[in-house]
Amino acid sequence: MEETLHHGFWSLLPPLIAIVLAILTKQVFISLIFGIFLGWTMLNGGNPLYGLFDTLQALVDVFKDSGNTRTIMFCALVGGLIVFMQRSGGVAGFIALVQRKLQAYEGQDDQKSKVIVSLLAWFTGALIFVESSISVLTVGALYRPLFDKLGISREKLAYIADSSSAPSSILIPFNGWGAFIMSLLAAQGFSDPFATMLRSIGWNFYPILALLIVPAIILWKKDFGPMKKAETRTQSGKLLWDDAQPMVTDELTEQEVAPGVTPKAYNMVVPIVVMVVLMPVMLAYTGWADAATAAPSSGWDHLLLAIGKGSGSTAVLTAVVGALLVSMAFYKAQGIMGIREMVDLTLKGIAGMIPLALLMLLAFAIGTLCKEHLGTGIYVAEITQSWLSPALAPFLVFVVSCFVAFSIGSSWGTFGIMIPIAVGMGQSLGADPHIIIAAALGGGVFGDHCSPISDTTILSSMASATDHVDHVKTQLPYALIAGGLAALGYLILGFV
């Protein structure tokens, strides 16, 4: 397909219908599948039978790209690693370790203790950047008893957990978030998706602001809006409002530790360290030859260039497999579990990640459809060139991504829908691709934070044992401040 080819207004329908359906049904999977089916039916002259055949083939063709396959495999295998850390007592041991360190603050009600414990909750959530759900659940399990004793509202805990998980996961992309984003960028023709993603991080205003506003609010000691009322209520001795329906998390936070095993924090720390260390090592290894060909250099410059040209999907897959193998040997040496149980736990973890892997599959398929067959981004750029300048593009991409993510409650689903459209439109308008990518990613995280149907928003309410509606209402003003500043930043940046 030539670069300028598109199918006019029809190229808008598949992603647009997918967005509208997601808003109406709240079913991201069904909406993406229908969008893909509609696109292929259109390409086959309106024949739904051929459209169905090509839809199935398009899903199969996702695996023709080795990068896509490796990313989906990583997503599945990281579920096995999470179950390993739970079964070995690593997560429970880490929670117990932190709680022992925080015993000095139990029973105290002075402002200094509240500030320190709140900051530690924020730091813990940001530190566990490997997986956003684990971050949220760990923060809830660790700090909920302390927050209750110190008279800090559970709504504040839910806000801290929610605002430190996804932002840190996207800003420190050595995880499934990074692999997914790199695969989407590679599908859009970027030869160095890792370097492209890293360059966009500095322009990803919302996650940066969301992370920074949390400690600012804690140190400022002055809440506002519904959060202020929640804090006043808690300080008077009421943990929840009279009509609140707290979301209890015993099933989610209770760890299935192997019988007879003493929980130890290092059973969680060691696998995570192995995975995080292996990622840049494998990026450098896979990009070493390309770096030497592109710009012969030596030392630190060559290493950085190699990391930028490395295969993100290879790095994350190798890292998670390495972490799994190290965990198996580590736990076997301690007598925690045998080979048969390890295999069963790996399969159990993979089964738990199947929905996320399916979302990746559909996102890759609709991205390829929009870019290579429909030319959606190119058409959007052509019809907006008369009134849309490159200066306005980042702002509009951010706003649209916010709306999509808020409506469907999924940042990853938003990435899959918006990245192909935003990149194609940005390239045709001549806008800076790194800013455009950052705007799409940041908008997805912002909308997801504000959405009451977002999985991380729901998990934050669960982990904090607070009413879900109360969490959404108390978090919204803070998220809107960060989102408003981010939107203003893109508007100013575009013109400057």
Side-chain angles (χ1 to χ4, degrees):
M1 176 180 118
E2 294 185 9
E3 188 177 356
T4 57
L5 180 62
H6 60 73
H7 290 265
F9 171 77
W10 301 106
S11 63
L12 287 175
L13 283 184
L16 186 61
I17 292 296
I19 292 172
V20 172
L21 276 179
I23 293 171
L24 295 177
T25 66
K26 313 300 182 186
Q27 297 293 326
V28 179
F29 298 102
I30 295 175
S31 304
L32 287 173
I33 289 174
F34 187 80
I36 297 167
F37 168 73
L38 177 62
W40 283 109
T41 299
M42 287 163 40
L43 291 172
N44 281 283
N47 188 314
L49 183 61
Y50 288 161
L52 176 61
F53 291 156
D54 282 349
T55 296
L56 296 175
Q57 186 60 44
L59 296 176
V60 173
D61 288 344
V62 167
F63 295 98
K64 286 185 177 180
D65 187 311
S66 58
N68 292 347
T69 305
R70 286 191 290 263
T71 302
I72 294 172
M73 288 177 64
F74 164 82
C75 178
L77 289 173
V78 80
L81 186 62
I82 290 171
V83 173
F84 269 23
M85 292 187 295
Q86 293 174 342
R87 185 66 171 171
S88 68
V91 176
F94 182 78
I95 291 172
L97 174 64
V98 175
Q99 286 180 336
R100 287 196 299 271
K101 298 294 184 182
L102 296 177
Q103 282 179 353
Y105 304 106
E106 291 188 4
Q108 300 182 24
D109 58 356
D110 58 281
Q111 291 297 319
K112 182 178 179 181
S113 297
K114 291 182 179 181
V115 169
I116 292 175
V117 170
S118 299
L119 288 175
L120 285 173
W122 166 76
F123 180 73
T124 303
L127 187 65
I128 307 175
F129 57 86
V130 175
E131 214 285 317
S132 57
S133 297
I134 287 291
S135 172
V136 166
L137 294 174
T138 301
V139 169
L142 279 173
Y143 294 96
R144 190 175 70 202
L146 276 175
F147 271 52
D148 289 350
K149 290 179 181 180
L150 290 172
I152 309 173
S153 68
R154 291 184 177 181
E155 288 91 338
K156 175 67 74 67
L157 176 60
Y159 162 63
I160 293 173
D162 206 355
S163 297
S164 60
S165 57
S168 66
S169 295
I170 201 170
L171 293 175
I172 310 174
F174 296 105
N175 47 36
W177 290 67
F180 183 47
I181 294 167
M182 281 188 282
S183 297
L184 291 175
L185 296 178
Q188 299 308 307
F190 289 95
S191 59
D192 53 350
F194 180 74
T196 302
M197 180 180 63
L198 287 185
R199 293 189 190 106
S200 72
I201 288 176
W203 306 112
N204 204 344
F205 297 148
Y206 178 75
I208 296 172
L209 289 167
L211 271 178
L212 293 179
I213 284 177
V214 174
I217 292 294
I218 294 171
L219 293 171
W220 187 33
K221 302 177 186 177
K222 289 185 179 180
D223 291 287
F224 54 89
M227 186 70 79
K228 183 177 181 179
K229 295 179 181 178
E231 287 290 289
T232 302
R233 179 209 67 218
T234 304
Q235 290 165 13
S236 68
K238 292 182 64 175
L239 290 178
L240 298 167
W241 297 110
D242 293 332
D243 59 347
Q245 298 180 356
M247 303 184 73
V248 182
T249 58
D250 292 341
E251 296 81 3
L252 289 171
T253 57
E254 183 179 353
Q255 307 303 322
E256 297 180 5
V257 181
V261 173
T262 302
K264 298 292 183 181
Y266 55 68
N267 283 330
M268 171 182 167
V269 174
V270 169
I272 290 178
V273 170
V274 170
M275 185 166 70
V276 172
V277 170
L278 277 178
M279 286 182 186
V281 170
M282 289 307 301
L283 282 170
Y285 175 76
T286 55
W288 198 264
D290 288 341
T293 302
S297 57
S298 60
W300 185 251
D301 291 338
H302 185 78
L303 177 62
L304 292 178
L305 185 60
I307 291 176
K309 290 189 170 295
S311 169
S313 58
T314 300
V316 294
L317 179 59
T318 306
V320 73
V321 170
L324 278 169
L325 294 176
V326 169
S327 299
M328 288 180 176
F330 194 45
Y331 301 154
K332 178 67 175 175
Q334 297 178 59
I336 294 177
M337 60 185 78
I339 298 298
R340 180 180 296 235
E341 185 178 6
M342 290 178 184
V343 173
D344 290 342
L345 288 173
T346 302
L347 294 175
K348 179 181 178 181
I350 290 173
M353 299 299 285
I354 288 300
L356 197 53
L358 178 60
L359 176 60
M360 286 184 173
L361 173 66
L362 297 176
F364 291 148
I366 198 169
T368 300
L369 172 69
C370 291
K371 181 179 186 293
E372 297 185 4
H373 302 281
L374 295 175
T376 305
I378 297 172
Y379 174 68
V380 170
E382 285 189 5
I383 62 174
T384 56
Q385 274 179 337
S386 60
W387 60 272
L388 177 62
S389 67
L392 284 174
F395 170 77
L396 291 179
V397 167
F398 178 77
V399 171
V400 172
S401 296
C402 292
F403 175 72
V404 173
F406 178 82
S407 303
I408 67 177
S410 170
S411 53
W412 284 38
T414 302
F415 299 162
I417 293 172
M418 287 300 300
I419 287 293
I421 297 174
V423 169
M425 182 180 70
Q427 288 173 341
S428 297
L429 288 172
D432 188 319
H434 305 105
I435 298 176
I436 292 292
I437 292 166
L441 298 178
V445 176
F446 172 45
D448 182 74
H449 264 178
C450 298
S451 176
I453 61 172
S454 160
D455 55 350
T456 51
T457 305
I458 294 170
L459 278 178
S460 298
S461 302
M462 288 181 170
S464 306
T466 189
D467 185 278
H468 181 54
V469 175
D470 289 339
H471 167 46
V472 173
K473 290 193 300 185
T474 52
Q475 174 170 268
L476 190 59
Y478 299 109
L480 288 174
I481 290 174
L485 290 174
L488 181 62
Y490 289 121
L491 197 59
I492 295 174
L493 184 66
F495 287 100
V496 172

